[in-house]
């Protein structure tokens, strides 16, 4: 290839990369536009929003909408703000994520290292549960929660999410453990290690990448869930998403859009923080069990 041809190829490559970056930047700006609108309007007085300046930067900066959304917005009977519902979500999400992750790890361990007859059929049925629409399980779940005395409670909501999420966590851990060296398990058995010793001392310590995947997936799904919260939660156990909907859909008083925007950002902040802190490990964890060797 001549020097002129090489220079032409280099210039063409630079132009192509520049066009790609420009297009990507435009898409990113378009994608971030709703967040910009929410952030900007959450620090404005309501008068600036109703005056038609929704896209403008605030003339008067104020955090009053944030304080009101958190502590004094009218959501239910009392002006409690979103704070108690935030803690309801925390009390629901933490045990649900922990239990479903541990049970998924145990299921993956059994289905790969303690094989038994028809184990593939059992795994197929658990995998099938991942594709059952939420709406189909509402009545059976409501019936079971009533029989167990957990209807309208935070623990009942946590149980619902554990049951619905265990299929996903089992899938993740089963695929991850499938490429884990079985020889280590056999060696541990020869040394006298039992079922739970092998799990706690050998498999679980090496399960960090896939555990992060399971935690991020479960945390995001459970925190953002609205249907189960609206269907099974009582007045005192409603999660953040249901409370946010009640705040936005309130029919009394003036529509305080700045408070609504602040509340929406507060509701989205935990999942955003999870992805910022651990998001880079998500794809890494998924890929860790995809290739053997």
């Amino acid at each position: 290839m001549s020097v002129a041809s090489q220079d032409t190829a280099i210039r063409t490559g630079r132009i192509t990369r520049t066009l790609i970056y420009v297009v990507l930047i435009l898409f990113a700006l378009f994608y971030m536009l709703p967040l910009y609108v929410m952030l900007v309007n959450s620090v404005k007085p309501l008068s600036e929003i109703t005056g038609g300046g929704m896209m403008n930067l605030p003339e008067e900066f104020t955090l009053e909408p944030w304080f009101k959304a958190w502590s004094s917005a009218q959501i239910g009977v009392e002006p409690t703000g979103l704070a108690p519902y935030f803690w309801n979500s925390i009390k629901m999400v933490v045990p649900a994520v922990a239990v479903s992750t541990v049970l998924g790890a145990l299921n993956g361990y059994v289905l790969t290292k303690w094989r038994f007859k028809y184990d593939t059929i059992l795994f197929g049925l658990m995998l099938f549960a991942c594709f059952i629409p939420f709406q189909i399980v509402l009545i059976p779940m409501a019936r079971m929660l009533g029989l167990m005395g957990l209807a309208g409670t935070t623990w009942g909501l946590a149980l619902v999410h554990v049951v619905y999420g265990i299929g996903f966590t089992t899938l993740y851990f089963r695929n991850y453990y499938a490429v884990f060296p079985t020889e280590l398990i056999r060696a541990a058995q020869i040394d006298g290690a039992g079922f739970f010793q092998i799990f706690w001392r050998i498999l679980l310590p090496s399960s960090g990448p896939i555990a992060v995947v399971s935690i991020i997936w479960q945390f995001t799904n459970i925190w953002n869930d609205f249907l189960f919260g609206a269907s099974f939660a009582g007045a005192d156990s409603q999660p953040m998403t249901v409370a946010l909907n009640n705040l936005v859909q309130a029919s009394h008083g003036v529509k305080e859009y700045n408070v609504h925007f602040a509340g929406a950002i507060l509701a989205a902040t935990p999942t955003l923080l999870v992805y910022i802190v651990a998001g880079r490990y998500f794809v890494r964890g998924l890929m860790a069990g995809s290739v053997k060797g």
Side-chain angles (χ1 to χ4, degrees):
M1 181 182 293
S2 65
V3 175
S5 300
Q6 289 179 347
D7 292 340
T8 302
I10 291 173
R11 285 196 298 270
T12 303
R14 288 175 179 174
I15 294 173
T16 302
R17 286 197 299 271
T18 302
L19 290 176
I20 291 174
Y21 288 141
V22 169
V23 172
L24 290 176
I25 290 172
L26 290 175
F27 274 114
L29 292 175
F30 182 77
Y31 185 80
M32 296 294 290
L33 183 61
L35 180 60
Y36 165 80
V37 173
M38 292 171 63
L39 282 172
V40 167
N41 288 280
S42 67
V43 294
K44 287 181 183 178
L46 184 60
S47 58
E48 288 190 33
I49 300 176
T50 55
M54 182 171 285
M55 298 296 295
N56 301 332
L57 293 173
E59 297 178 5
E60 178 186 347
F61 183 86
T62 176
L63 292 177
E64 181 61 27
W66 288 75
F67 294 124
K68 186 170 184 179
W70 178 255
S71 60
S72 62
Q74 188 78 33
I75 295 175
V77 178
E78 299 293 334
T80 60
L82 292 171
Y85 305 97
F86 176 87
W87 296 116
N88 284 344
S89 290
I90 292 294
K91 290 186 287 186
M92 171 189 67
V93 168
V94 172
V97 171
V99 173
S100 60
T101 299
V102 172
L103 290 180
L106 279 170
N107 289 341
Y109 170 46
V110 171
L111 291 171
T112 54
K113 305 307 177 187
W114 296 78
R115 304 291 299 273
F116 54 91
K117 193 175 183 181
Y118 304 126
D119 61 325
T120 54
I121 297 177
L122 177 61
F123 175 65
L125 292 174
M126 297 188 72
L127 190 61
F128 176 73
C130 298
F131 303 98
I132 298 177
F134 284 11
Q135 295 82 354
I136 292 179
V137 302
L138 290 181
I139 294 178
M141 285 287 191
R143 177 63 176 163
M144 293 304 300
L145 290 177
L147 292 175
M148 291 184 290
L150 295 175
T153 66
T154 303
W155 290 111
L157 270 179
L159 177 61
V160 168
H161 287 293
V162 168
V163 171
Y164 201 86
I166 198 171
F168 291 100
T169 58
T170 299
L171 171 65
Y172 297 147
F173 280 96
R174 189 263 182 190
N175 290 344
Y176 186 80
Y177 290 155
V179 298
F180 190 88
T182 306
E183 292 78 9
L184 293 178
I185 308 299
R186 299 289 179 260
Q189 289 176 322
I190 293 173
D191 291 337
F195 178 88
F196 286 105
Q197 284 181 312
I198 295 173
F199 177 71
W200 289 109
R201 297 185 179 183
I202 299 179
L203 263 74
L204 204 58
S206 65
S207 304
I210 202 64
V212 171
V213 171
S214 177
I215 290 170
I216 292 177
W217 176 268
Q218 283 293 89
F219 185 93
T220 304
N221 283 342
I222 297 172
W223 186 274
N224 292 334
D225 172 70
F226 174 79
L227 181 61
F228 286 159
S231 301
F232 303 130
D236 297 329
S237 60
Q238 291 179 346
M240 190 77 161
T241 50
V242 177
L244 179 63
N245 176 75
N246 294 340
L247 171 65
V248 174
Q249 298 296 332
S251 58
H252 56 276
V254 179
K255 289 287 187 181
E256 298 180 296
Y257 298 108
N258 50 354
V259 177
H260 298 171
F261 285 132
I265 297 173
L266 287 171
T269 297
T271 52
L272 181 62
L273 291 177
V274 167
Y275 272 102
I276 290 175
V277 173
R280 58 181 176 176
Y281 301 107
F282 187 79
V283 176
R284 187 183 305 176
L286 286 176
M287 294 298 294
S290 62
V291 181
K292 188 170 183 178

